[in-house]
Amino acid sequence: MMPEYRITFLVTVPENTPTDSDIYICGNHKNLGGWVPNATKLNKVGERQYQASFIFNEGTHLDYKFTRGSWETVEKDQNFFEYPDRSVYVTKGRTVHFAIHNWADMGKPKLKASHTWSGIIKEHNGFLATKLGNKRNIWVYLPPNYPKSPSKRYPVLYAHDGNNVFDSRTAFLGVEWELDETAEKLVKEKKIREVIIVAIENNIQRQEEYTHVYMENYGGGKADLYADFIINDLKPFIDKTYRTLKHRQYTGIMGSSLGGLVSMYISWKYSDVFSMAGVVSPSVWWGNKDIIRFIKENKLKNKIKIWLDIGTLEGKMDDDDDEIPYAVHDTRLLRDTLVNNGFKLGYDLAYFEIEGARHNEAAWAKRVDKILLYFFGKQRFGWKRSLRF
């Protein structure tokens, strides 16, 4: 029987919190009430301090936030921007202490006056995903010489969480990947081939769409419908509207966290469409590491080229000992599974552990140049691209 552990959440609220406030926790597990903002109330245990304890099975991955009872009163960071989901991986009993900086209804973030786009960016708002039955915005980065070379065609990279890719005005916590700035710089330095980058906005169904199997207490499992949207709705539109190289050889897909997980899944299952996969800080834990089972049990139909990475501080809690974080263990397991399936490090598999890197957009922005070089490096565009940066 799987061991169970008690996790206690101890929360300190800001001084301006109304004294009659109730404080709630919500998250991705039924014990936390799901993502219902007023389902699970904490107990007041002192001045500005609230607490609640829960029992979880060992290995449970928790994402959660705190509210005062509604999404209009969800916690915010020091500058009133969205606070990332808090996270813990249950490996032992512990008390985790958090300080909340602000509440959403007590201030507004200072948005940048304008977009932070670099180069040529085209917007397509309200793009319909037919089988998912929802809409989202699409942003398309065009390389510098696109208007000057009317007969030239370009490879295409599709990027998940597109609101975080080009523009700090729409990015989570106001921090973008700077993929447009990086591509512009590498092209001007003649280090990469010019590429079209398609940024696909996420939505409230992100967890559902970016996961390939349903997980009890979490949901999910709509990755095939999301893949259908990219392959049968979006890609035909992009190929018709822009001068693309349509063949799988010139088509890549990339994302981080759950976006990294779904990039791995889609590129493996739909390798007739994609030949490159940027698997950045992947959420291997999803579905009890079902992506490992999927790769082992499903033969790859066409060769693909994979970038796989993880930060050495990802999945690490402040009160952890100095052991290797679970996210690093999980990503090493994915690497080894790929190697056992015939992938060769330094050839069709790039693997990196980035010392001191955490799970956030700022960390990913620091290494997107290496990902672009790996896939689109100008010196040797193709399977034998060197991994020496």
Side-chain angles (χ1 to χ4, degrees), residues 54-66:
F54 307 90
I55 302 293
F56 299 101
N57 290 332
E58 182 181 33
T60 301
H61 181 103
L62 301 173
D63 291 323
Y64 52 95
K65 289 181 181 291
F66 298 101

Side-chain angles (χ1 to χ4, degrees), residues 224-257:
D224 284 301
L225 293 177
Y226 180 64
D228 179 86
F229 155 64
I230 297 174
I231 295 168
N232 295 316
D233 292 332
L234 182 57
K235 188 176 186 300
F237 171 79
I238 295 298
D239 289 340
K240 181 179 179 181
T241 306
Y242 302 100
R243 299 192 308 275
T244 66
L245 292 166
K246 302 177 184 181
H247 192 269
R248 63 173 298 276
Q249 178 184 351
Y250 305 104
T251 308
I253 192 167
M254 180 178 75
S256 64
S257 193

Side-chain angles (χ1 to χ4, degrees), residues 303 305 344-350 374 382-385 387:
K303 287 184 178 181
K305 190 175 184 181
K344 295 180 180 180
L345 288 166
Y347 181 66
D348 52 3
L349 174 61
Y374 179 55
W383 287 105
K384 295 184 178 180
R385 165 66 189 158
L387 291 181

